[in-house]
Amino acid sequence: MSDLIFDLIEQEKKRQTEGLELIASENYVSDDVMRAMGSVLTNKYAEGLPGKRYYGGCEIVDIIENETRNRLKELFNAEWVNVQPHSGAQANAAVMLACLNAGDSILGFDLSHGGHLTHGSPVNFSGKFYKAHFYGVNETSGRIDMNVVEEKAKATQPKLIICGASAYSRDWEYAEFRRIADSVGALLLADISHPAGLIARGLLNDPLEHCHIVTSTTHKTLRGPRGGVIMMGKDFENPWGIKTPKGVTRMMSAILDSGVFPGTQGGPLEHVIASKGVAFGEALTEEYFNYTLQVVKNASILANTLVEMGYNLISSGTDNHCMLIDLRNKDVTGKDAEKALEFAHITVNKNMVPFDDKSPFVTSGIRIGTPAITTRGLLDTDMPRLASLIDRVITNYENEDTLIKVKSEVNDWMSNYPLFSL
Ligand SMILES: *Cc1c(COP(=O)(O)O)cnc(C)c1O
């Protein structure tokens, strides 16, 4: 087929294959995950849930969606799940629509400290429809101070407290968050979009035991297709006393389901749901468990090596798959570092650091993650080499000769790690 779009897809495949992918939110899916996504299921309308659809011909997609739901339940030991959200942002929108009224207060992690847009940013629906308040990290420790979370909760009386982040390298104290949420009568949501895979396999604290609701993406550490999910460790009666027409108190699961459809979405993407199912099946294997162990090991070694080289990591290290580097002592902005690294085929993203004095377009930091390079096959012994390539670029970010040399070294190195057979 000679369509420009397919030529461009091949170019993108080449880019992904030749470079070092260090964006903390990215990963490489398996051929099977990709195959399910590119299937005839994209042709099917299936508004509603398995067994309760608004369209005919859903008998097979019903089985697929149920199988996907069961695999996700097994993976997280969840009593209830919804696998239809098109993305992480959609999952959060559905939960907020289901649990809040316009104008209610919410309390989330500050975007400029590592939080996510959908946790109350003024440019996002969550900051436009709800009154958003934030907690952040302690300036010295780089960690969330639970006393501050409690003070903010008492002062702002939120209806919903959100834990979870896009650039936070430490684990979360979900039990403590729950104690605080209960003390102000708030619902507690954990958005585990980033560390979901590590949580699923028991490497980090389990939010499902403590949080009312958990949302996630499926395409970050979980290594599935681009998408979202909502889960509950345990279903419960809705706290607002909303009853069905028959006078039965509605369960939270029903309220969340209707937050997805018809609340915020139309027809589910059954090809993506099938692909999520394939990815959840993979995530249940021993091989994936070993992958998650290696992701954390690689991140920890890379972080320690960078610290030894004089880099300032927020909170001085990592418990998970990512790290946030404050580049102010290296006299380079996040923007310039990202650009130089990109030139050398090392992909990262510029990122605000806590208490940043630069704009989100410039920033003082970069965020680095190990999920993609670990899928690629890099191991402990590769991390010092990776750190020194990053360091060469950052300390020579204006020296084109050095950048060209690093780029060819990166390309040579990656040619030993084939990707994709499709
Ligand atoms: C990535 C992310 C999201 C959004 O996911 P999309 O699929 O890009 O909409 C939501 N919350 C957190 C914490 C994230 O890191």
Side-chain angles (χ1 to χ4, degrees):
M1 231 177 300
S2 74
D3 181 322
L4 169 65
I5 297 292
F6 287 102
D7 293 343
L8 292 167
I9 291 173
E10 283 308 307
Q11 285 179 39
E12 170 62 9
K13 192 188 269 182
K14 187 163 176 289
R15 187 194 69 80
Q16 291 186 15
T17 308
E18 287 178 350
L20 268 165
E21 183 51 72
L22 294 176
I23 293 178
S25 50
E26 293 193 8
N27 214 328
Y28 301 109
V29 300
S30 69
D31 290 346
D32 285 346
V33 165
M34 249 191 295
R35 218 147 41 88
M37 248 187 297
S39 70
V40 294
L41 296 173
T42 191
N43 298 328
K44 189 71 200 98
Y45 245 114
E47 280 178 356
L49 288 164
K52 288 175 279 184
R53 305 282 195 186
Y54 292 82
Y55 287 81
C58 289
E59 57 275 14
I60 296 164
V61 294
D62 276 5
I63 302 171
I64 291 174
E65 189 167 336
N66 276 331
E67 177 66 17
T68 299
R69 295 202 291 194
N70 289 337
R71 290 181 186 187
L72 182 62
K73 284 182 194 169
E74 185 183 346
L75 192 56
F76 284 93
N77 196 16
E79 184 175 302
W80 171 89
V81 300
N82 185 307
V83 296
Q84 294 188 348
H86 301 331
S87 72
Q90 292 291 113
N92 288 340
V95 169
M96 289 185 198
L97 184 89
C99 298
L100 299 168
N101 290 311
D104 281 351
S105 283
I106 59 174
L107 176 63
F109 185 38
D110 194 331
L111 177 66
S112 68
H113 287 206
H116 192 262
L117 283 165
T118 55
H119 301 176
S121 161
V123 297
N124 182 261
F125 79 92
S126 56
K128 288 180 192 280
F129 294 165
Y130 312 111
K131 208 162 166 326
H133 306 279
F134 301 97
Y135 55 88
V137 298
N138 176 282
E139 191 159 8
T140 328
S141 69
R143 291 174 187 250
I144 291 165
D145 180 341
M146 294 310 295
N147 293 323
V148 174
V149 175
E150 182 153 25
E151 275 166 31
K152 295 260 173 175
K154 294 243 171 343
T156 62
Q157 294 291 311
K159 290 274 167 53
L160 181 72
I161 296 178
I162 307 159
C163 37
S166 296
Y168 187 61
S169 62
R170 296 301 177 178
D171 205 353
W172 291 75
E173 297 177 47
Y174 301 112
E176 189 56 13
F177 266 95
R178 178 58 187 264
R179 188 188 63 73
I180 294 168
D182 284 348
S183 78
V184 297
L187 284 173
L188 180 61
L189 167 67
D191 176 352
I192 60 167
S193 288
H194 262 262
L198 312 184
I199 289 168
R201 298 314 303 258
L203 305 191
L204 294 170
N205 294 335
D206 181 7
L208 279 90
E209 283 176 26
H210 304 288
C211 304
H212 295 97
I213 306 162
V214 176
T215 54
S216 182
T217 61
T218 49
H219 49 274
K220 297 179 184 175
T221 49
L222 217 38
R223 209 163 63 179
R226 201 155 281 285
V229 294
I230 309 174
M231 306 182 272
M232 283 191 289
K234 209 161 174 33
D235 200 1
F236 55 98
E237 287 188 352
N238 82 82
W240 311 284
I242 302 170
K243 300 206 186 313
T244 66
K246 286 184 185 148
V248 181
T249 303
R250 288 186 87 198
M251 297 304 281
M252 207 54 209
S253 52
I255 289 181
L256 291 171
D257 278 335
S258 65
V260 178
F261 172 84
T264 50
Q265 292 188 172
L269 312 175
E270 292 296 340
H271 55 306
V272 177
I273 289 171
S275 180
K276 287 172 183 171
V278 173
F280 300 155
E282 291 176 357
L284 285 162
T285 62
E286 183 80 17
E287 192 185 342
Y288 180 84
F289 173 62
N290 292 329
Y291 161 73
T292 58
L293 290 175
Q294 192 64 49
V295 166
V296 171
K297 231 197 232 175
N298 283 348
S300 153
I301 298 169
L302 184 60
N304 291 340
T305 314
L306 288 166
V307 167
E308 279 163 20
M309 289 171 141
Y311 285 88
N312 275 335
L313 268 59
I314 305 304
S315 85
S316 313
T318 180
D319 296 331
N320 57 27
H321 64 294
C322 74
M323 61 207 75
L324 186 55
I325 306 175
D326 185 339
L327 292 169
R328 283 179 285 198
N329 67 335
K330 298 283 175 185
D331 280 328
V332 57
T333 64
K335 183 182 175 195
D336 287 339
E338 178 192 290
K339 218 168 78 194
L341 285 161
E342 182 176 45
F343 187 93
H345 284 192
I346 301 173
T347 320
V348 304
N349 61 285
K350 61 176 178 285
N351 214 99
M352 299 277 278
V353 295
F355 311 98
D356 208 324
D357 51 349
K358 299 191 186 70
S359 82
F361 300 103
V362 180
T363 80
S364 297
I366 52 171
R367 185 186 65 164
I368 289 182
T370 53
I373 52 164
T374 307
T375 296
R376 195 94 201 240
L378 297 197
L379 299 170
D380 312 22
T381 44
D382 298 309
M383 294 304 108
R385 180 175 180 188
L386 176 56
S388 81
L389 288 170
I390 294 168
D391 182 55
R392 261 164 75 198
V393 171
I394 287 177
T395 48
N396 298 284
Y397 75 97
E398 289 174 311
N399 182 337
E400 202 170 313
D401 286 346
T402 305
L403 300 186
I404 289 170
K405 280 196 198 114
V406 173
K407 173 172 151 181
S408 82
E409 193 177 323
V410 167
N411 295 157
D412 279 352
W413 191 15
M414 287 302 103
S415 68
N416 301 322
Y417 295 90
L419 260 181
F420 315 124
S421 40
L422 284 183

